[in-house]
Amino acid sequence: MENTLGLEIIEVVEQAAVASARWMGKGDKNMADHVAVEAMRERMNKIYMRGRIVIGEGERDDAPMLYIGEEVGICTQEDAKSFCNPDELVEIDIAVDPCEGTNLCAYGQPGSMAVMAISEKGGLFAAPDFYMKKLAAPPAAKGKVDINKSATENLKILAECLDRSIEELVIVVMKRERHNDLIAEIREAGARVQLISDGDVGAAISCGFAGTNIHGLMGIGAAPEGVISAAAMRALGGHFQGQLIYDPAVVKTGLIGESREANVDRLKSMNITDPDKVYNAEELASGDTVLFAGCGITPGNLMEGVRFFKGGARTQSLVISNQSKTARFVDTIHMFNQPKTIQVR
């Protein structure tokens, strides 16, 4: 899968990032997301594959493109059998967020990315559009920190695993009312807090790389993005755990269904019988082959944002594979306007 689709998925996120970056700083998050979706879908439909969106533009939204269950790829078209044999191709599950951090892009703030994860059919957890309590940490702490432990306990374990003091740790938390007590506890324990307004996928992945000065992600964010984070962290060998949050009283901000009881019923209808189950990265991204790709829209901890110049743009992308056990940074020059060829007579 990596050999066949590795370059293709890089181009998918690059195209989405370039399209969204044209709306960077214009204050229109919906348009920044819309053009990214269009660009991502157009490029995916040129790939020789049979893909199915399992995480996309909203489970219950009336999304016209990249909706849950949509089939993508050149071999999913109605006339596919006239130019390919779909039955010979591995079926691919795809999780996408064409513009992760729409507000970040709209207001010109750092950390917005176009991201996607792929695996063979059944290899990605089809997370409902609920929230998820998350814990991400570097590979050295994998299996040692635990989402069921308090923040203070995990900070002590993390400091020991990384051979540094708690005061040297930086923990990323989304700035939300629901996190006030968590933020206070982290600070009381002695660690430093980096607050973000949106975009926790980049924060989670940053935990998997040394030198980012991010040592953990704690708190509650969107569940679909948790699966994409888990795919990257599994391939990196980092620690990731997620637990679905279905109680509106816990989330405090944002929409999360009509009631706790209605949400539990909805989870049961999706064959999720244990709503309080804690998932690890290997359960959220369980496929034999898992690939993650991301491209910076605005500058972040891992990647530069899209930089336009006369006639083109420059992007920086990241593709992570559990198959080859690699994390590749790709620097690409996109040449939009080529000079006409001069004919010699």
Side-chain angles (χ1 to χ4, degrees):
M1 187 186 301
E2 180 183 359
N3 293 336
T4 305
L5 299 178
L7 179 59
E8 302 271 24
I9 66 170
I10 293 174
E11 291 185 354
V12 169
V13 294
E14 286 177 344
Q15 293 302 311
V18 170
S20 190
R22 295 186 185 279
W23 288 85
M24 188 276 292
K26 295 187 176 182
D28 191 340
K29 69 172 187 177
N30 292 330
M31 185 57 72
D33 185 59
H34 175 72
V35 296
V37 171
E38 284 189 325
M40 182 172 275
R41 182 175 186 263
E42 181 181 357
R43 183 62 184 88
M44 279 200 286
N45 277 327
K46 295 177 181 177
I47 300 177
Y48 193 77
M49 69 173 183
R50 295 175 63 193
R52 178 176 66 110
I53 303 297
V54 296
I55 290 176
E57 288 298 284
E59 176 193 338
R60 293 175 295 176
D61 295 343
D62 188 19
M65 290 181 289
L66 298 183
Y67 55 84
I68 305 299
E70 180 178 0
E71 294 187 338
V72 292
I74 198 169
C75 292
T76 63
Q77 300 176 17
E78 291 183 4
D79 60 342
K81 290 187 178 180
S82 66
F83 52 84
C84 69
N85 184 356
D87 295 331
E88 291 181 354
L89 297 176
V90 176
E91 293 183 85
I92 305 297
D93 278 359
I94 305 171
V96 301
D97 193 343
C99 183
E100 149 76 346
T102 54
N103 283 319
L104 301 177
C105 178
Y107 299 112
Q109 297 171 342
S112 182
M113 303 185 297
V115 295
M116 68 182 297
I118 68 172
S119 186
E120 65 270 14
K121 185 177 181 180
L124 296 174
F125 179 67
D129 55 349
F130 282 3
Y131 284 81
M132 178 181 280
K133 183 180 179 181
K134 306 172 187 179
L135 175 62
K142 182 177 176 62
K144 296 176 182 177
V145 292
D146 192 291
I147 202 169
N148 289 316
K149 289 180 167 46
S150 69
T152 303
E153 290 177 289
N154 280 324
L155 289 170
K156 291 178 181 178
I157 296 169
L158 189 55
E160 183 176 342
C161 291
L162 298 178
D163 191 25
R164 61 178 64 206
S165 67
I166 292 179
E167 288 73 18
E168 293 175 314
L169 299 177
V170 175
I171 307 300
V172 174
V173 182
M174 294 187 75
K175 189 177 181 180
R176 299 289 189 272
E177 181 186 349
R178 60 179 174 264
H179 292 147
N180 288 345
D181 290 342
L182 172 63
I183 294 168
E185 182 179 354
I186 294 171
R187 288 171 172 166
E188 180 66 25
R192 294 170 291 165
V193 177
Q194 179 178 324
L195 295 176
I196 59 173
S197 61
D198 296 280
D200 64 355
V201 173
I205 299 172
S206 293
C207 298
F209 289 91
T212 62
N213 199 40
I214 293 178
H215 310 105
L217 168 73
M218 297 182 183
I220 296 171
E225 283 80 351
V227 176
I228 297 175
S229 299
M233 289 297 276
R234 179 191 165 190
L236 287 171
H239 181 94
F240 189 89
Q241 288 175 292
Q243 183 180 38
L244 293 174
I245 302 297
Y246 50 87
D247 189 345
V250 174
V251 176
K252 295 183 180 180
T253 54
L255 300 175
I256 188 173
E258 298 177 0
S259 67
R260 181 183 187 278
E261 293 72 22
N263 286 338
V264 170
D265 290 339
R266 186 160 152 247
L267 289 174
K268 289 179 180 178
S269 72
M270 300 175 67
N271 296 319
I272 300 176
T273 56
D274 181 4
D276 297 313
K277 176 180 170 62
V278 173
Y279 299 89
N280 59 33
E282 289 72 20
E283 292 169 314
L284 294 172
S286 61
D288 291 334
T289 301
V290 177
L291 292 175
F292 165 88
C295 182
I297 298 173
T298 58
N301 286 315
L302 293 173
M303 294 170 286
E304 290 287 346
V306 178
R307 290 146 289 167
F308 291 101
F309 56 85
K310 184 178 180 180
R314 186 172 184 173
T315 60
Q316 190 171 48
S317 304
L318 168 64
V319 59
I320 308 171
S321 168
N322 79 318
Q323 189 176 24
S324 62
K325 300 187 186 305
T326 55
R328 293 186 174 96
F329 289 89
V330 181
D331 207 357
T332 305
I333 299 294
H334 304 263
M335 293 168 282
F336 303 145
N337 300 317
Q338 289 296 303
K340 294 182 180 180
T341 302
I342 300 175
Q343 295 183 351
V344 179
R345 299 187 181 184

